[in-house]
Amino acid sequence: MSHPMPTFGTFALLLALCLAAYTFLAGSFALFAMAKGMQLRISAERLSETARRAGVASFAAVLCAAFALVWAAFTNDFSVEYIREHTNIALNPMYKFSALWSGQEGSLLLWSFLLSGYGFVLRLRHKTDVRLFAYASTILAAPQIFFLALLNFAAEPFSLTKGPIPADGNGLNPLLQYVEMVIHPPMLYLGYVGFTVPFAFALGALMMRYPGEKWIRITRRWTLVTWLFLTVGISLGMHWAYAVLGWGGYWGWDPVENASFLPWLTATAFLHSVMMQEKRGMMKKWNVWLIFLTFMLTILGTDLTRSGLVSSVHAFAQSSIGNWFTTFLCIIFAVCLFVFFRQSSHLTSEHKLESVVSRESSFLFNNLVLLVACFTVLFGTLFPVLSEYVQGSKVTMGPPFFNKVAVPIGLFLLALTGIGPLLAWRATSLRSIRRNFILPCVAVLGTAIILMATGMHPWSASKDDLEGQLYALVCFSIGAGVIVAIAAEFLRGANVVRTQTGKSLPIAAWTLMMRNNRRYGGYIVHFGIVILFIGLAGGAFNQQHEMEMGFGDSLTIGNYKLVCQSYTEDSNANYDTDFALMDVYRGGKKIGQMTPERRFYTASQTTSTIVAIHSTVLRDLYVIFEGRNNDTNRPIIKVFLNPLVSWIWAGVAIVFVGTVLALLPGLRAQLSNKPAPAEPRELVAAGGD
């Protein structure tokens, strides 16, 4: 039997591998020839250009392979084993598209597609700096070869179904049949895969002993873009876990959740300390290793997902493919170590730390704390593997361990978020400290006093809740101080602009922000992080209640009352559903209805929960249909009352806006025809850009 699309996809992947291999080999030889001044029959520059074009062509080849797999999903081509395992005829077309990343082979194809896409953009922009981009293009081809080799020899997405072709497939995992899962994995992968580009620039710049700091500015922008993708991807994953898994939470310190969090921590550290290198020529070795670690952590995270080393609701089935990743990770580390020691003399700092009370020291402390957080999460994630190796049995580190360590670290980072921008470069005068810190300190103390006066008494909580509520009080208080510090920075600059231009305060603040979008975009990101932390702290006051409910039965939690009006069943071609209809009252007034569901998917013979959520600014009413009592056939309803959850999603949205603002090009250049208003001397010293 002829299988044109699978054959086409297989050929496209093999062609992509050959093109990537040529990019790496020809590019490496051309760079070596240029470095040694060798005379070749074809010029080294011409050879490098052919390597670049081969890299561009590899994107087209991987695009064809991805199209072939998606086409097979939409045409129900169950002759392809991957399509048979992950789709079925009745599957919603939107989820047939997401089948591309629902299994191991497809997700690796998505990784290769995005990596080749990043390479495509990089190679098209090669005229920015021809030699640096040639190094980056050649280095980028190495991970392309690795992933394409996996797809061609170890995890083939176009393998044919053995035996008779079935009339229908097994269907998509029910947990993935949710609208956010069409967006979450690509976003997460855009972040994961995107860190390969800063890695390629950093390693290339170190290899060629790149003069000046231009490479660090290029790398910073790439890192900021991929950091934004990863941030959005992680937050979408949190929302998916909250809305679909039906456990009332959004972050459970799952190993695969942790795997995405680790590179986020090191990339965040890089984005802060990179300013030290740009402004003061300091922390060059830090920055190089932060980029190296970020890339290696993305590979480690992918290894954890696929090797079966750790158990996770997010992980793929256990596979020997993990050995490929372990070997690749060892090669990356060896190369980074070799190049670093060979070229370390190029990374000598131009200045030294002059004062503990300075912007430089705040960045250093920030990096140390972020790396401690990274090591702690990594240790807790890998502890089951380490314990099995040492004592022969797996010992899992659960949420209590992570919370006990991560929460204090997070609060310290939150405080640094407010302290850092108030300090000057080199050294901060006592006068400046008094002026900049008095309002935030008043806000911290005032918030703590007000909260305690209005009934927030952690010491009167139960033993289990004491620590969480005490941390929440500290978080709310520090958060208020950081918000005041950020607002004061905006107002200080905006008042100067208003004085010089006569504009209203809001317009003056907008003008100031547009003239230094990177700095004030960063402040907005910090504000979003504070809002997110406040939302997380609300989890210390969660309530829950569970009961069996028949017609007319009611359940009370907080100031909400739920009354069961009916429960019934329904079905369609894809799944059968069992749901309850609940009237919701608040303060004695009916505010709406909620319909929690439990679905049974006929193709995969599995069930999933559809949570009903009523969300307000202050709290979420979260209702789960857990199933029916076998004896009475009545539904069992579980209800959570979760304070401030919406603040988490609002915080992420603010972080997104601030990051985009910091990335917008040319705002200062567009306004450069107008004289820039001078900012206060202390503001300039403390902030910079």
Side-chain angles (χ1 to χ4, degrees):
M1 181 183 292
S2 175
H3 305 286
M5 288 307 287
T7 302
F8 173 71
T10 301
F11 172 76
L13 285 176
L14 185 59
L15 176 61
L17 176 60
C18 294
L19 290 168
Y22 179 83
T23 300
F24 179 74
L25 295 173
S28 299
F29 187 69
L31 292 172
F32 179 79
M34 284 189 279
K36 298 297 183 181
M38 296 170 57
Q39 297 296 318
L40 306 174
R41 181 173 297 180
I42 176 176
S43 70
E45 289 78 9
R46 180 61 182 165
L47 184 61
S48 179
E49 175 62 15
T50 63
R52 184 188 71 85
R53 293 183 179 183
V56 171
S58 69
F59 169 68
V62 180
L63 175 62
C64 288
F67 172 79
L69 193 64
V70 173
W71 180 269
F74 274 92
T75 56
N76 300 312
D77 187 355
F78 301 122
S79 67
V80 180
E81 178 69 12
Y82 182 84
I83 302 302
R84 184 191 68 80
E85 289 182 353
H86 298 286
T87 69
N88 62 295
I89 294 173
L91 187 64
N92 187 305
M94 175 172 60
Y95 301 131
K96 287 188 177 183
F97 181 76
S98 65
L100 174 61
W101 50 81
S102 62
Q104 181 158 268
E105 296 84 357
S107 69
L108 289 172
L109 178 54
L110 175 65
W111 185 294
S112 292
F113 170 66
L114 295 176
L115 183 58
S116 63
Y118 275 118
F120 177 76
V121 175
L122 183 150
R123 288 158 183 143
L124 287 185
R125 294 177 57 85
H126 71 290
K127 291 184 179 178
T128 305
D129 189 313
V130 174
R131 189 157 178 247
L132 175 61
F133 275 65
Y135 268 90
S137 172
T138 302
I139 293 167
L140 194 70
Q144 282 186 274
I145 293 170
F146 169 72
F147 282 99
L148 288 167
L150 277 174
L151 289 168
N152 278 280
F153 306 116
E156 304 170 55
F158 296 101
S159 295
L160 298 179
T161 300
K162 296 176 182 178
I165 298 174
D168 203 354
N170 293 341
L172 187 66
N173 185 335
L175 294 176
L176 303 182
Q177 296 188 42
Y178 187 74
V179 65
E180 276 178 330
M181 292 308 287
V182 181
I183 309 170
H184 160 59
M187 277 292 174
L188 200 63
Y189 274 48
L190 279 167
Y192 251 45
V193 179
F195 285 126
T196 313
V197 178
F199 168 78
F201 277 120
L203 187 60
L206 193 55
M207 283 179 169
M208 64 184 288
R209 300 178 71 89
Y210 192 91
E213 309 300 340
K214 181 180 177 182
W215 79 269
I216 204 75
R217 288 192 291 273
I218 294 171
T219 304
R220 183 193 68 83
R221 290 187 65 82
W222 277 96
T223 306
L224 191 56
V225 169
T226 52
W227 179 88
L228 179 59
F229 282 134
L230 185 59
T231 301
V232 173
I234 291 173
S235 61
L236 286 172
M238 290 171 64
H239 194 271
W240 168 80
Y242 185 64
V244 172
L245 296 185
W247 59 292
Y250 37 76
W251 188 268
W253 296 107
D254 179 273
V256 176
E257 292 175 343
N258 296 347
S260 65
F261 189 43
L262 292 170
W264 187 91
L265 289 169
T266 52
T268 302
F270 170 78
L271 289 171
H272 284 82
S273 68
V274 72
M275 286 186 279
M276 294 274 283
Q277 184 167 345
E278 288 184 280
K279 286 187 165 297
R280 304 274 292 146
M282 299 170 65
M283 299 185 74
K284 294 181 180 181
K285 293 178 182 178
W286 272 91
N287 289 330
V288 164
W289 273 106
L290 284 172
I291 286 295
F292 289 172
L293 285 172
T294 300
F295 175 62
M296 286 188 281
L297 286 170
T298 64
I299 301 300
L300 176 63
T302 310
D303 187 7
L304 291 175
T305 311
R306 288 160 176 79
S307 63
L309 284 174
V310 293
S311 300
S312 167
V313 69
H314 308 273
F316 296 102
Q318 185 167 350
S319 168
S320 61
I321 204 173
N323 297 330
W324 287 64
F325 282 94
T326 303
T327 303
F328 184 51
L329 191 57
C330 291
I331 293 171
I332 295 168
F333 181 70
V335 169
C336 291
L337 208 60
F338 173 78
V339 174
F340 174 77
F341 281 113
R342 185 176 177 83
Q343 307 284 32
S344 59
S345 61
H346 181 62
L347 299 175
T348 304
S349 293
E350 298 167 16
H351 298 91
K352 293 184 178 180
L353 187 67
E354 299 179 24
S355 171
V356 175
V357 187
S358 64
R359 176 66 65 88
E360 291 93 329
S361 67
S362 74
F363 283 131
L364 180 60
F365 287 134
N366 184 78
N367 274 11
L368 288 172
V369 176
L370 283 167
L371 287 179
V372 168
C374 182
F375 174 78
T376 302
V377 175
L378 181 62
F379 175 77
T381 304
L382 294 180
F383 191 80
V385 181
L386 299 174
S387 64
E388 184 178 34
Y389 179 77
V390 173
Q391 62 185 36
S393 61
K394 285 188 177 182
V395 179
T396 302
M397 290 290 197
F401 164 78
F402 289 104
N403 290 332
K404 201 165 197 65
V405 179
V407 172
I409 292 174
L411 292 175
F412 188 61
L413 281 171
L414 183 63
L416 283 177
T417 299
I419 293 170
L422 301 179
L423 299 175
W425 294 102
R426 301 182 65 177
T428 307
S429 68
L430 186 59
R431 178 171 172 267
S432 179
I433 291 174
R434 284 199 302 265
R435 181 176 58 252
N436 292 342
F437 281 83
I438 188 168
L439 280 178
C441 288
V442 169
V444 171
L445 293 174
T447 301
I449 292 169
I450 291 170
L451 288 174
M452 288 186 288
T454 54
M456 189 172 174
H457 303 142
W459 54 87
S460 62
S462 66
K463 185 178 178 180
D464 293 338
D465 297 334
L466 172 61
E467 189 176 85
Q469 293 192 18
L470 181 61
Y471 281 143
L473 176 63
V474 174
C475 182
F476 295 148
S477 303
I478 294 176
V482 176
I483 290 172
V484 168
I486 293 171
E489 287 294 291
F490 269 94
L491 289 173
R492 192 176 295 128
N495 275 324
V496 173
V497 176
R498 183 178 62 173
T499 301
Q500 294 184 350
T501 64
K503 296 178 179 178
S504 65
L505 189 62
I507 294 176
W510 177 258
T511 302
L512 180 72
M513 192 163 53
M514 292 300 99
R515 290 188 185 279
N516 200 335
N517 55 298
R518 177 178 168 185
R519 175 183 173 186
Y520 289 97
Y523 285 159
I524 292 173
V525 170
H526 284 180
F527 175 66
I529 293 295
V530 174
I531 298 300
L532 188 151
F533 265 75
I534 291 172
L536 294 174
F541 305 96
N542 287 356
Q543 302 176 50
Q544 62 179 351
H545 188 46
E546 177 180 310
M547 68 177 289
E548 180 182 316
M549 299 184 71
F551 296 122
D553 288 345
S554 64
L555 180 155
T556 301
I557 184 168
N559 62 343
Y560 288 91
K561 180 180 179 181
L562 285 82
V563 179
C564 182
Q565 292 299 325
S566 66
Y567 48 93
T568 186
E569 299 175 352
D570 199 0
S571 64
N572 59 38
N574 195 27
Y575 57 81
D576 300 324
T577 184
D578 198 3
F579 63 90
L581 181 63
M582 319 286 294
D583 284 345
V584 183
Y585 297 84
R586 184 173 61 202
K589 181 181 179 181
K590 184 176 178 180
I591 59 172
Q593 289 185 325
M594 302 178 73
T595 54
E597 295 181 40
R598 193 166 184 83
R599 292 178 179 176
F600 178 78
Y601 289 82
T602 52
S604 59
Q605 296 289 293
T606 54
T607 59
S608 75
T609 300
I610 304 298
V611 181
I613 302 174
H614 173 74
S615 185
T616 68
V617 173
L618 295 180
R619 61 187 63 85
D620 279 10
L621 182 64
Y622 184 100
V623 185
I624 309 162
F625 190 120
E626 292 202 304
R628 292 182 184 248
N629 184 318
N630 292 331
D631 296 328
T632 64
N633 200 37
R634 296 198 302 179
I636 299 171
I637 302 296
K638 189 170 186 177
V639 182
F640 290 85
L641 195 60
N642 299 332
L644 302 179
V645 174
S646 60
W647 287 55
I648 297 173
W649 321 130
V652 173
I654 294 169
V655 168
F656 179 86
V657 171
T659 307
V660 171
L661 178 63
L663 278 167
L664 288 176
L667 286 176
R668 187 183 300 172
Q670 292 168 19
L671 297 169
S672 61
N673 59 330
K674 302 178 182 178
E679 293 182 303
R681 178 173 58 85
E682 294 83 358
L683 191 64
V684 173
D689 120 291

